[in-house]
Amino acid sequence: MKIYYRGYLINENPLAGPGCMVHGTRPERLTLTTEENSRSAMRWIDREVLRQRVEAAGWFSPQALRV
């Protein structure tokens, strides 16, 4: 079963073994990680989206860390 969540693809394939593979956003759709179920995959995606927003805001830049 394929689940599309926040632009990412969660691929549950019971024939390939337990777990879900998380693929990135379009156009590449690279495999980013493997999680044990779809709920934990959604949590991983939420953390990744938050991390990207923090990085884009510049909170992890050297200038922000000096203050």
Side-chain angles (χ1 to χ4, degrees), residues 15-29:
L15 300 177
C20 300
M21 292 177 17
V22 178
H23 302 279
T25 57
R26 285 184 170 173
E28 296 90 21
R29 292 266 193 232

Side-chain angles (χ1 to χ4, degrees), residues 51-67:
R51 186 192 62 77
Q52 288 175 359
R53 288 183 183 173
V54 166
E55 235 177 57
W59 291 358
F60 287 140
S61 67
Q63 294 84 11
L65 294 176
R66 273 190 261 156
V67 176

Side-chain angles (χ1 to χ4, degrees), residues 8-20:
Y8 292 80
L9 171 65
I10 302 170
N11 191 5
E12 281 185 315
N13 190 355
L15 300 177
C20 300

Side-chain angles (χ1 to χ4, degrees), residues 13-60:
N13 190 355
L15 300 177
C20 300
M21 292 177 17
V22 178
H23 302 279
T25 57
R26 285 184 170 173
E28 296 90 21
R29 292 266 193 232
L30 301 173
T31 302
L32 301 175
T33 188
T34 303
E35 294 291 327
E36 63 182 62
N37 56 37
S38 58
R39 181 176 289 203
S40 63
M42 288 180 190
R43 284 190 197 125
W44 186 91
I45 291 170
D46 288 339
R47 287 191 305 267
E48 179 67 14
V49 168
L50 182 60
R51 186 192 62 77
Q52 288 175 359
R53 288 183 183 173
V54 166
E55 235 177 57
W59 291 358
F60 287 140

